[in-house]
mmCIF file of all heavy atoms in Angstrom:
data_model
loop_
_atom_site.group_PDB
_atom_site.id
_atom_site.type_symbol
_atom_site.label_atom_id
_atom_site.label_comp_id
_atom_site.label_asym_id
_atom_site.label_seq_id
_atom_site.Cartn_x
_atom_site.Cartn_y
_atom_site.Cartn_z
ATOM 1 N N GLU O 479 162.345 110.985 117.159
ATOM 2 C CA GLU O 479 163.024 109.701 117.306
ATOM 3 C C GLU O 479 164.131 109.821 118.368
ATOM 4 O O GLU O 479 164.925 110.763 118.365
ATOM 5 C CB GLU O 479 163.630 109.274 115.976
ATOM 6 C CG GLU O 479 164.242 107.879 116.010
ATOM 7 C CD GLU O 479 164.787 107.448 114.662
ATOM 8 O OE1 GLU O 479 164.667 108.226 113.692
ATOM 9 O OE2 GLU O 479 165.334 106.330 114.579
ATOM 10 N N GLY O 480 164.161 108.876 119.290
ATOM 11 C CA GLY O 480 165.157 108.872 120.349
ATOM 12 C C GLY O 480 164.740 109.588 121.610
ATOM 13 O O GLY O 480 165.455 109.536 122.624
ATOM 14 N N ASP O 481 163.552 110.261 121.592
ATOM 15 C CA ASP O 481 163.078 110.968 122.787
ATOM 16 C C ASP O 481 162.586 109.990 123.843
ATOM 17 O O ASP O 481 162.101 108.897 123.546
ATOM 18 C CB ASP O 481 161.938 111.933 122.442
ATOM 19 C CG ASP O 481 162.443 113.237 121.853
ATOM 20 O OD1 ASP O 481 163.618 113.570 122.103
ATOM 21 O OD2 ASP O 481 161.658 113.923 121.160
ATOM 22 N N SER O 482 162.721 110.430 125.126
ATOM 23 C CA SER O 482 162.171 109.673 126.254
ATOM 24 C C SER O 482 161.595 110.675 127.245
ATOM 25 O O SER O 482 161.907 111.883 127.197
ATOM 26 C CB SER O 482 163.261 108.831 126.927
ATOM 27 O OG SER O 482 164.241 109.680 127.512
ATOM 28 N N LEU O 483 160.768 110.194 128.141
ATOM 29 C CA LEU O 483 160.189 111.077 129.154
ATOM 30 C C LEU O 483 161.290 111.701 130.009
ATOM 31 O O LEU O 483 161.226 112.891 130.360
ATOM 32 C CB LEU O 483 159.201 110.285 130.024
ATOM 33 C CG LEU O 483 157.895 109.847 129.346
ATOM 34 C CD1 LEU O 483 157.112 108.926 130.277
ATOM 35 C CD2 LEU O 483 157.056 111.053 128.963
ATOM 36 N N TRP O 484 162.285 110.926 130.346
ATOM 37 C CA TRP O 484 163.362 111.421 131.176
ATOM 38 C C TRP O 484 164.149 112.517 130.447
ATOM 39 O O TRP O 484 164.466 113.577 131.008
ATOM 40 C CB TRP O 484 164.308 110.268 131.553
ATOM 41 C CG TRP O 484 165.425 110.701 132.459
ATOM 42 C CD1 TRP O 484 165.394 110.833 133.804
ATOM 43 C CD2 TRP O 484 166.750 111.062 132.056
ATOM 44 N NE1 TRP O 484 166.606 111.264 134.293
ATOM 45 C CE2 TRP O 484 167.453 111.414 133.227
ATOM 46 C CE3 TRP O 484 167.407 111.119 130.822
ATOM 47 C CZ2 TRP O 484 168.797 111.825 133.206
ATOM 48 C CZ3 TRP O 484 168.726 111.536 130.797
ATOM 49 C CH2 TRP O 484 169.415 111.872 131.982
ATOM 50 N N GLY O 485 164.425 112.290 129.148
ATOM 51 C CA GLY O 485 165.183 113.266 128.376
ATOM 52 C C GLY O 485 164.432 114.576 128.188
ATOM 53 O O GLY O 485 165.013 115.666 128.298
ATOM 54 N N ILE O 486 163.126 114.491 127.921
ATOM 55 C CA ILE O 486 162.306 115.703 127.715
ATOM 56 C C ILE O 486 162.202 116.498 129.008
ATOM 57 O O ILE O 486 162.358 117.739 129.017
ATOM 58 C CB ILE O 486 160.904 115.325 127.188
ATOM 59 C CG1 ILE O 486 161.015 114.687 125.792
ATOM 60 C CG2 ILE O 486 160.003 116.563 127.123
ATOM 61 C CD1 ILE O 486 159.723 114.092 125.292
ATOM 62 N N SER O 487 161.913 115.808 130.120
ATOM 63 C CA SER O 487 161.755 116.497 131.413
ATOM 64 C C SER O 487 163.063 117.174 131.823
ATOM 65 O O SER O 487 163.070 118.289 132.367
ATOM 66 C CB SER O 487 161.303 115.515 132.490
ATOM 67 O OG SER O 487 162.259 114.488 132.663
ATOM 68 N N ARG O 488 164.205 116.521 131.564
ATOM 69 C CA ARG O 488 165.497 117.108 131.928
ATOM 70 C C ARG O 488 165.786 118.358 131.077
ATOM 71 O O ARG O 488 166.334 119.351 131.570
ATOM 72 C CB ARG O 488 166.604 116.072 131.737
ATOM 73 C CG ARG O 488 167.973 116.600 132.160
ATOM 74 C CD ARG O 488 168.991 115.505 132.187
ATOM 75 N NE ARG O 488 170.295 116.018 132.611
ATOM 76 C CZ ARG O 488 171.378 115.267 132.795
ATOM 77 N NH1 ARG O 488 171.295 113.955 132.605
ATOM 78 N NH2 ARG O 488 172.512 115.814 133.170
ATOM 79 N N ARG O 489 165.387 118.304 129.793
ATOM 80 C CA ARG O 489 165.635 119.431 128.903
ATOM 81 C C ARG O 489 164.915 120.695 129.386
ATOM 82 O O ARG O 489 165.451 121.806 129.247
ATOM 83 C CB ARG O 489 165.183 119.082 127.485
ATOM 84 C CG ARG O 489 165.471 120.141 126.434
ATOM 85 C CD ARG O 489 164.936 119.714 125.080
ATOM 86 N NE ARG O 489 165.451 118.398 124.682
ATOM 87 C CZ ARG O 489 165.033 117.738 123.611
ATOM 88 N NH1 ARG O 489 164.077 118.259 122.859
ATOM 89 N NH2 ARG O 489 165.547 116.560 123.314
#
Side-chain angles (χ1 to χ4, degrees):
E479 186 178 359
D481 280 337
S482 65
L483 290 173
W484 182 84
I486 295 171
S487 61
R488 183 170 181 176
R489 184 182 305 173

